Every structure is written in C-alpha cells, then in structure tokens.
DNA sequence: ATCAATGTTCGGTAATGCCGAACGGCCGTC
DNA sequence: GACGGCCGTTCGGCATTACCGAACATTGAT
C-alpha cells in the first residue's frame, strides 16, 4: 500500500476523534491527542470547517462534528450561498453580453434556477427564479449533468419540447462527453424555438461542481451562421463561472 | 479565510460526490468530474479507503462510500485487526522482558483486553482476553484515557482497589497530563497489591490512538527502588508500541 | 483481434502543507 | 487591578509533500 496522503489521514483521525466521544473538543486537546502542532491542526480544522464536516462553537471556540457529514441529500453548498456569491458576477455578465443570465443548481434531477438577471432591454420578461428546468434540454442542465454535481437522477423521462430536443439517452451521453471535454455546454432550440443558451460549471471547494451559470437569448444573437455560439460569448460565460468558483473556494483558478 | 488544505478539500469533494447520487462511481468519472488527474484521484481514494471512508467493489473496481463514515461508536480499527497486527510484536516483547504482555483498547469506558501473552515461566496464569479492566487503575487504561482514543466515557465511578488506587478525578487528570507529556504511562499497586504495569499508546493512521500495549508483573521486577519503572523496560514497551503503530499505518515513526 | 474501458504504478518537480514561535483575547486567580 | 494560563489564530521559512502525466496491467465489449 505505497504512499497514502497523510494530510487526509490526519483529517480522518480528527473526525474520528470528534465522533468518538466528547464530540466537543478544544483545538489544543485535538493537537495533543494526535501529536500534531497546533498550527497544523488548526489548518486541517479550518479546512474541515470550510467543507462543513466540523463546526465551531462560537462562544467556546471548541470544535465538533458538523451537519455536512451525513448527506441530507443536498450538496454542502446550499442554494442561498450559491446565489449570494453569484449575484455579483451575474449582473456584469448580463451587461457585457446584452443577454439574460441564469444561475442554477441541481434539485431532484432537474435544474433549479436560483438567480435570474433580465436581458438589459425593455422587453417584457418573466422572472423565473425558483423555476425547475429540464436537465436535458438546457445548457445549464447539460453542464450540471456532465459533472454530476449532486442529485444526479439519471434522466428517465426525456420530454420532447421542440424538433431539436435530444431524444435518446445515447445522444444525451454524447452531449455529456462533449461538455466534459470542452468545459462548457450549449443548446440551440432544444427547449424553446428561436432560443439558444450557453453555460459553464461553477465549482466549489475541492473542485466539486455545485452549480452552473449561463446566458440565453435569441438564436441569431447567441450563435453564428453555423449555429455555434460566438466564441467571445463562451469566453465571457466561462470567465464568469471561474470568478464565482474562485469566490466559492475553488483554489485552482 | 487564508489558506486551506486543498488535499482535504478534494477528499471532501469526492465524498460528497459519492454520497450525492450514484454512490457507485468509477475512478475515471470521479477524476473527470473534479478535473483532477487520475493518479491524484487514485491516491486520495486509496487514503480514504485506508481510513474506511470509502470502499471498493472488488469485481467492478468502482468506489462507494464506506461504513466508517457514520460512526458506529467504535473507532475505524476493529479489535480483531488490532489484535492481528499486535500479535507479532507482543511475543518478542514478552520474551525480552520476561513479563506478561497485554494489548487493549477502549470499550464503553473500560479497557478491553484483546491480546494476552503469558509471562514466560511455568507459573499458573489465567488468560484474560476479553476481560474488561478499569480505566483508571491500569497502565493501559491511563494511556488510553490520556489520548482519548475512542469511547472516552469520562470515568464517573472510580472504584478503589488498593490503598494506592487513584481516587479523585483531580488526581486522575494529573496522571493524564503526565502520560501525555511522557508518551507512556505506568501504575504501581493501584489495581493489585504487589503488581505494577507499564504501557504505551498504539497509533493508527493519522496518529489517532487506537489501543495500547504494556507489560505487567511483580513490583520488584518492574520497578526500581524508588518505585519507578526500569528505563530499559519502558524503552522496550515504547518500541513495541511504535512497531505496531507503524504496521497499522502511522507514518511518522 | 482490436479497442476502449477499468484501476494501478512510477519518477520528477514545484508547489504544498507542515512546523514552531509569536500574537491577541478571554477568563480565572492572586 | 494586574497577572498568568489557556483559548484560537497568524505568519514566515524550509523541506516534505502530494501532485501531475504518461506508461502499465487487466478486463470486457465490439
């Protein structure tokens, strides 16, 4: 069994320690029990806290197991937090692209819209925050499906909305690998005739995909003549996704 | 929130991914979802498997959540495994010290003897594997208490066995800090008149204390004139503990 | 028989996380 | 009222760490 990641072993040991007894220990005690330096222990605990595995008592400062260990269905990022972080970046994206922007996450096999910025013109539009979108016919959904963020209900019923809606599970699987290879996804008239959309994944701590952000609008404005999204539009969407990811704690970008 | 341990974040993300859906994913899929190299992902998974957080399906090779996540009270090392690893080292210790050797772990606030090697002479001795020893009057117990291995029931009832048995919680606390500073523990006639014992902690992956090993015998053979254990005896016990720890996956030694 | 999956290993390198000392706050004691 | 211990936290420096990517061994499907 050559080479294990000792940082993770230590984290696991801390979790075990917290789970196996007092479930309410001061940092010094943990460090001493595991024969680690206080600073080291603090770093590990900070990380565990960040991902929701441990919580810290505000008054005593002691550490205890967090709610995130057993999974109550949802990912460790609740929709509210996703929304509050995405909100600062969605507006600029809408302004620069001139299109509507939506932020979504997976809920029960569908796409829950957690934020929506109107297209910056005067036309009448309906706010669809809270709406559940199909996962196989939207750019947001394809992206979320590709990275298996959370709920991952394998789509059983592929409702057909337009002539272009992906019908077969096989075709959907092909789409998924496309998204994965490219790092972003799109859709043209698969949900609504005359409409197209582009989306990119939002990553949380550790690189886990926790949501997606994208624009949607009239086909002739989103795509070029060959029905491919404009490259600069794709770039803008991806940059926005990376910015939000950075804010959510994804280190790499 | 400056600087988090990204290796742990990644591990957490993997756990979330496994917990949130298919609960049965191949390595490549995990790596792809988190945008990590296969090798990296494998290392993390190997570690998580080592600590019991994930398991691997033997036939398909796929990974899924392990039983160790929810804590069924016990530590992630079951007594049988502790015993099977300790057994190779307990015999030599008995041979070199000429005394009886016992290996124990915490069970429900007491010391469960998981292995016992007789003193290598012809005198009659009773096998006490399976016996539950008091935690406050044995060297094994003091060591286990000091490092809070698992059950950590704070001793409510301090049974008094001999004149020397530690009576007050206060005195016991003092003993605990002594053990922690020294890295080993002992006891002289606190359990049985004429008997003394020495013990050292056994650490599992991550440095978590999962058990203890020690010798016990007549006071005049264990201790010097001032009722302190012979240094070379202490050294032997500690070396044995370290050897077992190494075998159990504690990297440092 | 080929191809595409799977999981696994290995070596080189830069980034990584570890350490230990110093800091600031809080509470009990003297 | 001032001190001392304990709490958690921060920071800089160094060496270890764990990451990456490519190559490998197997298996199963085409």
């Amino acid at each position: 069994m050559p080479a294990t990641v000792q940082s993770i072993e230590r984290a696991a040991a801390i979790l075990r320690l917290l789970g196996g007894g007092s479930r309410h220990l001061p940092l010094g005690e943990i460090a001493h029990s595991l024969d680690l330096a206080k600073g080291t222990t603090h770093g590990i605990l900070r990380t565990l806290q960040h991902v929701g595995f441990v919580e810290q008592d505000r008054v005593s400062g002691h550490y205890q197991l967090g709610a995130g260990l057993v999974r109550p269905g949802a990912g460790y990022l609740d929709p509210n937090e996703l929304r509050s972080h995405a909100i600062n970046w969605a507006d600029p994206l809408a302004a620069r692209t001139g299109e509507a922007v939506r932020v979504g996450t997976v809920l029960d096999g569908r796409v829950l819209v957690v934020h929506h910025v109107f297209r910056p013109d005067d036309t009448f539009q309906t706010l669809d925050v809270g709406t559940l979108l199909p996962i196989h016919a939207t750019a947001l959904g394809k992206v979320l499906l590709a990275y298996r963020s959370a709920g991952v209900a394998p789509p059983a019923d592929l409702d057909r909305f337009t002539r272009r809606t992906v019908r077969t599970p096989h075709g959907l699987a092909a789409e998924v690998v496309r998204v994965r290879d490219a790092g972003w996804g799109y859709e043209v008239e698969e949900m609504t005739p005359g409409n197209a959309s582009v989306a990119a994944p939002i990553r949380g701590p550790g690189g886990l995909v926790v949501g997606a952000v994208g624009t949607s609008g009239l086909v002739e404005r989103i795509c070029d003549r060959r029905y491919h999204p404009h490259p600069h539009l794709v770039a803008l969407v991806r940059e926005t996704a990376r910015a939000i990811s950075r804010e959510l704690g994804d280190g790499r970008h």
Side-chain angles (χ1 to χ4, degrees), chain A residues 79 98 140 166 241:
Chain A
L140 289 174
V166 182

Side-chain angles (χ1 to χ4, degrees), chain A residues 90-99 101 120 215 232-233 235-236 239-240:
Chain A
D91 276 318
L93 180 60
R96 297 195 59 184
T97 60
E99 303 293 343
V101 170
T215 39
H232 85 273
L233 190 67
L236 284 174
E239 276 172 33
T240 302

Side-chain angles (χ1 to χ4, degrees), chain A residues 122-235:
Chain A
D122 298 344
T123 60
F124 176 76
Q125 301 165 61
T126 61
L127 183 69
D128 52 4
V129 170
T131 310
L132 288 172
L133 268 38
I135 207 163
H136 66 291
T138 59
L140 289 174
K142 287 181 182 180
V143 168
L144 291 170
L145 190 61
Y147 296 101
R148 293 264 154 102
S149 73
V152 62
D157 51 340
L158 267 60
D159 291 340
R160 190 171 182 192
F161 301 101
T162 74
R163 186 167 37 94
R164 297 190 124 102
T165 304
V166 182
R167 281 158 300 190
T168 70
H170 183 67
L172 192 55
E175 274 294 300
V176 159
V177 305
R178 232 219 86 258
V179 171
R180 278 225 275 243
D181 287 342
W184 58 277
Y186 73 102
E187 153 270 324
V188 179
E189 292 192 323
E190 297 179 22
M191 174 79 191
T192 309
N195 253 277
S197 57
V198 184
I202 300 174
R203 295 178 182 277
L208 185 63
V209 173
V210 296
V213 57
T215 39
S216 64
L218 297 178
V219 179
E220 46 266 31
R221 299 176 57 165
I222 300 288
C223 298
D224 58 20
R225 268 172 250 97
R226 291 172 309 187
Y227 288 99
H228 283 26
H230 290 116
H232 85 273
L233 190 67
V234 173

